[in-house]
Amino acid sequence: SGSLAKSRSKLYLTLDQQRFGPVLDLLRRNCLEEDRTSEVYDLWKTVKDHLLLPLTIQLSEKTVVTLPPCFMRLPPDLKLKILELLPALM
């Protein structure tokens, strides 16, 4: 989970224990097996898409900083749809 300081909204990410539990255990012990690299990539992509990018966008908006380049490359209509889904900042 994550949120900005003094923010009313908090982002939550729930991971499937059966799918990502063994991968997290291997990462914690620092002994990743080569045949598990696709699972690590899936874990990284899930965390990035559902936690890191939304927090980065919220932080950028709150501090009036330019949004991340990945967001800026989207077509304007898609950006508006995404921004409409975000909670309003006070």
Side-chain angles (χ1 to χ4, degrees), residues 3-5 7 11 51-72 79 83 86-87 89:
S3 68
L4 298 178
S7 175
L11 298 169
L51 195 60
L52 178 68
L53 287 178
L55 284 173
T56 302
I57 291 168
Q58 285 181 10
L59 181 62
S60 297
E61 289 175 341
K62 190 169 187 146
T63 58
V64 193
V65 176
T66 306
L67 291 172
C70 55
F71 184 79
M72 294 305 293
K79 282 192 269 191
L83 291 174
L86 293 174
L89 295 175

Side-chain angles (χ1 to χ4, degrees), residues 57 71 74 77-86:
I57 291 168
F71 184 79
L74 295 175
D77 57 328
L78 186 55
K79 282 192 269 191
L80 286 174
K81 287 181 182 179
I82 292 171
L83 291 174
E84 287 172 357
L85 296 173
L86 293 174

